[in-house]
Amino acid sequence: MATAARTGIREPVQRIEVDVTFLRMDAPPATTKPDFPPGASVVRLAGCSVPFYRYLYDTVGRDYVWWLRRTVPDSEIAALLARPEISMHVLYQGGEPAGFYELERRSGDQGVNLAYFGLMPHAIGRGAGRALLRHAIDTAWAERPRLLTVNTCTADHPRALPNYMEAGFRITRVVRELWPVPLRLGLPIPDRLKAG
């Protein structure tokens, strides 16, 4: 266990090592779109409340050490969600949320970044993941960006990287990072990621 400083406050953390893989796509995929399971639909939120965002982020990311946005105050999340270049898209199955993705338009490289993508635990393995990923890709390319990017890491679901590559992304680089995950978040951390 280690400690980390944030705004002058020290708190206990677990340091974990992750390999972050950065990927990009330079043209829309030409492959056939996978179908969603019956009863599934994707809704682009006109506005996303902070509590609903936290519910999506926390539920999808809990088992994959999605920690960073758990540490920021509601005001920062609200400001992020209010930015016009950010859009939230929620997968519904049977009337309940089953996953989401977040797109971020970037003016500097005229690209779109798939900032977050994932399924709720109850939706994994039920045939919606590839269809939701393709929906995200098609939604991004409909805006005619110069490129589409995404990243994943060794803390994510083991199918994340293969799914991105099968969808048409290619790896541009891999970077090892050391994350100070605050213990107060109560996130399960796999032994394979613990740095000591």
Side-chain angles (χ1 to χ4, degrees):
M1 181 173 63
T3 58
R6 178 171 166 83
T7 63
I9 300 171
R10 296 176 63 84
E11 66 177 298
V13 300
Q14 174 66 59
R15 295 196 184 281
I16 65 171
E17 285 185 341
V18 296
D19 292 329
V20 181
T21 301
F22 295 85
L23 304 101
R24 71 182 277 166
M25 185 183 291
D26 295 303
T31 55
T32 304
K33 282 196 261 191
D35 292 327
F36 279 103
S41 63
V42 179
V43 175
R44 179 176 179 166
L45 302 182
C48 184
S49 69
V50 171
F52 189 55
Y53 181 83
R54 288 202 184 278
Y55 164 70
L56 294 171
Y57 182 92
D58 294 353
T59 306
V60 169
R62 176 173 173 72
D63 293 335
Y64 309 111
V65 200
W66 287 15
W67 67 279
L68 190 58
R69 289 193 176 167
R70 289 174 182 252
T71 65
V72 299
D74 285 354
S75 59
E76 287 185 35
I77 297 294
L80 173 92
L81 295 172
R83 290 170 43 196
E85 64 270 20
I86 302 288
S87 63
M88 295 291 301
H89 308 256
V90 180
L91 169 67
Y92 287 90
Q93 281 186 290
E96 67 179 356
F100 83 102
Y101 65 87
E102 178 183 325
L103 294 177
E104 177 187 14
R105 289 95 182 145
R106 299 181 313 217
S107 58
D109 61 7
Q110 299 175 342
V112 174
N113 183 48
L114 180 54
Y116 286 96
F117 173 88
L119 297 175
M120 300 280 186
H122 71 272
I124 294 173
R126 296 187 173 203
R130 284 190 178 91
L132 182 61
L133 178 56
R134 181 58 181 263
H135 191 280
I137 290 168
D138 290 346
T139 299
W141 281 113
E143 299 179 16
R144 301 179 184 267
R146 194 173 65 79
L147 71 152
L148 176 59
T149 59
V150 69
N151 66 66
T152 186
C153 72
T154 48
D156 283 336
H157 191 284
R159 287 291 309 154
L161 181 57
N163 283 342
Y164 289 137
M165 296 182 70
E166 288 167 15
F169 287 95
R170 65 179 173 78
I171 296 173
T172 58
R173 64 190 170 109
V174 178
V175 176
R176 172 141 309 159
E177 294 184 358
L178 186 63
W179 292 353
V181 181
L183 294 180
R184 68 180 160 83
L185 300 177
L187 294 173
I189 298 176
D191 287 339
R192 63 185 168 79
L193 299 176
K194 293 179 181 176

